[in-house]
Amino acid sequence: ELEASLAQAERSWLSALASQEDRADMISHHLCLHDDPEVVNTYLDELRAVTPEQVVSAARRWLRPQARAVVAYLRAEPEPEPDPEPESEPDPAAGSAAGSAAEEVLA
């Protein structure tokens, strides 16, 4: 499993460095945040240096039952569609008031 994880990490890393723009971003990131722009050249060597014993030790240290979290994904019931509102008919009183106001302006 360690070899498969290493191969996946290598593919991901090399893919991240595929374009000049991405490579420049990665160098800038490691320079600004870690003061080590050479990581782009040394990262894969550091990954290859990890031993199975180190992986087991890290798993025992960090993957403890009391530190776990459980996420329950519950599917929500679909909400019913709202009834379409009936189209309102124009208020005849409102129309006549507007007509009266227009007539007053013209007079």
Side-chain angles (χ1 to χ4, degrees):
E1 285 187 43
L2 189 57
E3 288 180 22
S5 295
L6 179 59
Q8 182 179 3
E10 285 182 15
R11 276 191 305 276
S12 176
W13 181 255
L14 294 174
S15 175
L17 298 176
S19 75
Q20 289 179 349
E21 182 179 320
D22 292 337
R23 196 172 316 124
D25 285 344
M26 190 71 72
I27 292 169
S28 173
H29 169 86
H30 285 283
L31 173 64
C32 292
L33 298 180
H34 307 289
D35 197 31
D36 187 9
E38 286 296 314
V39 165
V40 295
N41 298 321
T42 60
Y43 178 72
L44 292 178
D45 294 332
E46 291 175 16
L47 278 181
R48 290 183 191 115
V50 174
T51 66
E53 293 78 21
Q54 289 173 318
V55 173
V56 170
S57 175
R60 285 190 181 132
R61 179 176 180 194
W62 298 105
L63 303 177
R64 296 183 176 192
Q66 63 270 24
R68 72 179 178 183
V70 176
V71 177
Y73 175 75
L74 304 175
R75 207 174 259 197
E77 294 294 323
E79 294 183 22
E81 301 259 339
D83 292 332
E85 294 183 23
E87 292 185 28
S88 59
E89 296 183 20
D91 184 5
S96 65
S100 300
E103 290 172 6
E104 288 179 19
V105 171
L106 294 175

